[in-house]
Amino acid sequence: MTEVKAREWLSRHLGAAEADQLERTAVSVSPARSLGLVTLLLGWYEHVARMERELNLPDSDRSAWGAHDLIAADSLRDFIARGLEMIPERGSRQFSAALDEVDSRFLSYTEVDKLNILPRLDGDEVRVRGWWWTRIPCSGPIRRDLDRFSASF
């Protein structure tokens, strides 16, 4: 998904003023870097769309994402959850509607991770995680990559 298409999608949910205000909500993603809440949402949107587009790719396609890309996507969703805690509820209604749409799309092609592969692969089974960490694609290169990892646990 191109950034232009992602921004067009976002404009159906948020006006320019609302998007500017939410973008000023900076979420720390590393000790030296923060990203705005809108940038994070657009990143989650693009990750979810790409993972869905790649569901039918063969493993031989070297451009296909793997398990660690799903971990990166889930980490993006973590940052969004943290950012939501920083904004007033009334300021988040439209943002939440947009987020719900992306979350629903993610749910549509994933299933429950019964083997708890993602936290083990991420190396931190103990920390509290959002629901998105319990979901893995039903098929595709990411799923096959996860299945290979799970065989080694």
Side-chain angles (χ1 to χ4, degrees), residues 68-90:
H68 289 92
D69 297 296
L70 177 57
I71 289 172
D74 286 349
S75 295
L76 265 174
R77 185 61 179 80
D78 285 344
F79 297 134
I80 293 169
R82 193 176 320 144
L84 281 172
E85 295 173 0
M86 300 164 63
I87 59 175
E89 186 176 326
R90 66 177 164 71

Side-chain angles (χ1 to χ4, degrees), residues 67-68 70-71 113-125 129 133 136 142-153:
H68 289 92
L70 177 57
I71 289 172
D113 175 8
K114 294 176 186 167
L115 298 176
N116 208 27
I117 300 166
L118 285 178
R120 295 187 314 184
L121 185 58
D122 189 39
D124 186 3
E125 293 182 56
R129 295 175 185 267
W133 284 95
I136 58 176
I142 291 175
R143 176 54 180 265
R144 291 186 297 273
D145 201 22
L146 289 167
D147 289 344
R148 284 187 290 275
F149 279 116
S150 71
S152 66
F153 292 136

Side-chain angles (χ1 to χ4, degrees), residues 13-148:
H13 294 280
L14 295 175
E18 296 161 322
D20 288 343
Q21 182 179 8
L22 288 165
E23 184 61 12
R24 286 192 294 272
T25 301
V27 179
S28 176
V29 297
S30 73
R33 187 166 186 206
S34 293
L35 293 174
L37 200 49
V38 169
T39 297
L40 292 168
L41 177 60
L42 289 170
W44 175 237
Y45 173 89
E46 290 171 351
H47 277 68
V48 167
R50 178 169 176 174
M51 289 185 293
E52 183 178 35
R53 280 193 316 272
E54 293 187 357
L55 289 173
N56 295 316
L57 289 180
D59 290 347
S60 61
D61 188 326
R62 306 297 278 161
S63 70
W65 278 3
H68 289 92
D69 297 296
L70 177 57
I71 289 172
D74 286 349
S75 295
L76 265 174
R77 185 61 179 80
D78 285 344
F79 297 134
I80 293 169
R82 193 176 320 144
L84 281 172
E85 295 173 0
M86 300 164 63
I87 59 175
E89 186 176 326
R90 66 177 164 71
S92 68
R93 277 189 213 116
Q94 289 91 348
F95 183 90
S96 293
L99 178 59
D100 288 347
E101 184 178 310
V102 181
D103 287 347
S104 292
R105 188 172 182 182
F106 180 70
L107 286 166
S108 75
Y109 63 83
T110 60
E111 64 187 10
V112 173
D113 175 8
K114 294 176 186 167
L115 298 176
N116 208 27
I117 300 166
L118 285 178
R120 295 187 314 184
L121 185 58
D122 189 39
D124 186 3
E125 293 182 56
V126 178
R127 76 178 171 98
V128 175
R129 295 175 185 267
W131 62 264
W132 45 93
W133 284 95
T134 68
R135 308 287 301 184
I136 58 176
C138 296
S139 63
I142 291 175
R143 176 54 180 265
R144 291 186 297 273
D145 201 22
L146 289 167
D147 289 344
R148 284 187 290 275

